[in-house]
Amino acid sequence: KKRRLSVDQVQFLEKSFEVENKLEPERKIQLAKDLGLQPRQVAIWFQNRRARWKTKRLEKDYDLLQSSYDTLKADYDGLLREKDKLKAEVNPLIYIHI
């Protein structure tokens, strides 16, 4: 049967995760002892938390790249319009001189 962690236990684990998201064996045992949990519960919590952290980081990276792409695309489209405008200005001049 699965036991839910208390709010205090989760907060303690979150603070510990912020300090270091990897879990050395001695630290795992100490955290388990401090929280009244099994070392395996602490290890699984850290494993799950790292997975959530990685997913969030990927989402942030994607959003940043998407924003950069959108900016670059808008700049590129603007340059294409400017090029077309300049071409239109230059083409009539070519015909006049010929």
Side-chain angles (χ1 to χ4, degrees):
K1 140 177 141 178
K2 188 175 178 180
R3 264 188 41 208
R4 287 219 167 246
L5 300 178
S6 73
V7 173
D8 291 338
Q9 288 171 323
V10 171
Q11 287 176 344
F12 192 87
L13 288 168
E14 285 288 350
K15 286 178 185 170
S16 184
F17 183 85
E18 288 174 14
V19 172
E20 178 62 47
N21 67 7
K22 297 288 184 190
L23 198 55
E24 298 297 327
E26 306 82 34
R27 187 164 166 241
K28 173 176 61 177
I29 292 167
Q30 188 59 50
L31 282 171
K33 195 181 294 184
D34 292 346
L35 295 169
L37 300 171
Q38 295 295 316
R40 183 80 185 124
Q41 287 176 285
V42 173
I44 290 171
W45 186 90
F46 264 77
Q47 183 179 354
N48 291 338
R49 184 63 180 84
R50 273 193 307 276
R52 288 192 311 271
W53 174 75
K54 184 177 179 182
T55 300
K56 290 285 187 199
R57 195 179 72 204
L58 285 172
E59 288 172 358
K60 285 180 185 175
D61 289 348
Y62 173 82
D63 290 343
L64 183 64
L65 286 171
Q66 183 68 50
S67 176
S68 294
Y69 170 79
D70 292 342
T71 300
L72 287 170
K73 178 77 169 107
D75 290 347
Y76 176 76
D77 292 343
L79 288 171
L80 283 179
R81 286 190 298 275
E82 187 176 339
K83 180 188 86 165
D84 291 341
K85 181 181 168 190
L86 290 171
K87 266 185 170 179
E89 290 175 11
V90 169
N91 280 340
L93 296 177
I94 291 173
Y95 293 120
I96 293 172
H97 286 54
I98 293 179

